[in-house]
């Protein structure tokens, strides 16, 4: 009986570990798997590997994070991504990077990264940042950050950054996926194609249909 229980416990542990592994980027089985841009139509929970004989140093290189993003938009923020689309060598590495520029009073609006935790470092300026926990608590954690400060946004949770100061701000953030994805809440809800029926949105947000029409018109 003891042996059977030990075998059952080992099987349950293996199942739990395998489930955890499936919840993150695929692990490396070799030194690297440089994404083959000529095989964009082939996906194996990631991108197909480039032939080893064709790999060059440029597959692991990107230049441009010294350049400020264009913040002349409604939100006053610009994201410069460095993920597997920019560096093919990131394929299967489980990591990526972004630079975010904020105009004075600029906002990186409420969004989530479905495949990634984010750790953010302020390079210039000050930010008011926060994230909200999942149902049913929906507790918000916020912090004012200054140059050199670091903050973590847990995987999948809604978060934001707001430059409350009169000067521009810049951050560098690392993400725990080669392709973390981003779901901007307002865009997804009010700007989907085709649109979510306004009667459904009106009931979800407990507002009049006219209010929903006004919101959808912004996107």
């Amino acid at each position: 009986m003891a042996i059977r229980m030990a075998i059952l416990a080992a099987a349950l542990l293996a199942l739990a570990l395998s489930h955890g592994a499936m919840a993150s980027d695929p692990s490396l089985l070799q030194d690297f798997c440089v994404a083959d841009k000529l095989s964009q139509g082939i996906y194996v929970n990631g991108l197909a590997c480039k032939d080893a004989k064709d790999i060059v140093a440029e597959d692991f290189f990107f230049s441009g994070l010294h350049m400020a993003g264009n913040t002349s938009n409604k939100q006053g923020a610009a994201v410069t991504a460095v993920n597997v689309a920019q560096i093919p060598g990131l394929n299967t590495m489980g990591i990526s990077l972004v630079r975010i520029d904020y105009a004075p009073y600029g906002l990186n609006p409420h969004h989530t990264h479905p495949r990634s935790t984010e750790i953010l470092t302020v390079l210039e300026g000050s930010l008011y940042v926060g994230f909200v926990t999942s149902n049913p608590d929906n507790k918000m954690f916020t912090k004012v950050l200054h140059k050199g400060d670091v903050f973590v946004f847990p995987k999948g949770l809604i978060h934001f950054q707001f430059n409350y100061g009169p000067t521009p701000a810049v951050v560098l953030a690392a993400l725990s996926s080669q392709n973390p994805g981003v779901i901007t809440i307002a865009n997804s809800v009010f700007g989907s194609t085709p649109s979510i029926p306004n009667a459904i949105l009106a009931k979800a947000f407990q507002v009049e249909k006219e209010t929903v029409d006004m919101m959808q018109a912004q996107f």
Side-chain angles (χ1 to χ4, degrees):
M1 179 64 72
I3 294 175
R4 287 181 180 178
M5 290 301 293
I7 293 173
L8 177 60
L12 290 173
L13 178 60
L15 179 62
L17 291 174
S18 66
H19 176 74
M22 289 187 292
S24 60
D25 282 7
S27 299
L28 283 168
L29 295 177
Q30 62 275 334
D31 287 346
F32 42 74
C33 171
V34 173
D36 186 354
K37 292 187 176 182
L38 298 180
S39 303
Q40 289 293 316
I42 302 174
Y43 299 96
V44 189
N45 197 27
L47 299 171
C49 298
K50 188 176 182 180
D51 193 313
K53 65 180 175 56
D54 298 324
I55 294 172
V56 293
E58 282 70 19
D59 290 324
F60 304 91
F61 174 77
F62 174 84
S63 178
L65 284 188
H66 61 292
M67 299 171 60
N70 183 4
T71 59
S72 59
N73 52 61
K74 288 184 178 180
Q75 303 294 350
V79 177
T80 304
V82 185
N83 55 43
V84 70
Q86 288 76 39
I87 302 181
L90 282 177
N91 193 37
T92 73
M93 295 292 179
I95 193 170
S96 58
L97 196 68
V98 295
R99 168 181 171 146
I100 311 175
D101 291 270
Y102 311 82
Y105 310 108
L107 171 71
N108 189 13
H110 297 76
H111 63 281
T112 73
H113 300 293
R115 296 179 288 276
S116 176
T117 296
E118 176 181 351
I119 182 167
L120 176 149
T121 303
V122 179
L123 302 182
E124 297 292 343
S126 300
L127 294 174
Y128 174 68
V129 305
F131 67 86
V132 181
T133 64
S134 56
N135 297 347
D137 296 333
N138 300 129
K139 183 176 180 180
M140 184 166 72
F141 292 87
T142 63
K143 187 74 175 174
V144 174
L145 305 181
H146 302 285
K147 183 175 181 178
D149 289 345
V150 177
F151 197 80
V152 172
F153 302 106
K155 182 178 180 178
L157 296 187
I158 294 174
H159 58 283
F160 66 91
Q161 303 108 33
F162 174 64
N163 179 11
Y164 67 92
T167 60
V170 183
V171 306
L172 203 61
L175 301 111
S176 60
S177 172
Q178 68 183 44
N179 185 24
V182 60
I183 301 171
T184 304
I185 307 306
N187 296 46
S188 298
V189 173
F190 295 106
S192 66
T193 304
S195 298
I196 299 172
N198 59 6
I200 292 175
L201 290 176
K203 187 168 185 176
F205 288 96
Q206 297 295 291
V207 297
E208 299 297 324
K209 290 182 180 179
E210 292 74 16
T211 303
V212 173
D213 292 337
M214 180 186 69
M215 295 298 296
Q216 288 179 326
Q218 305 303 311
F219 298 92

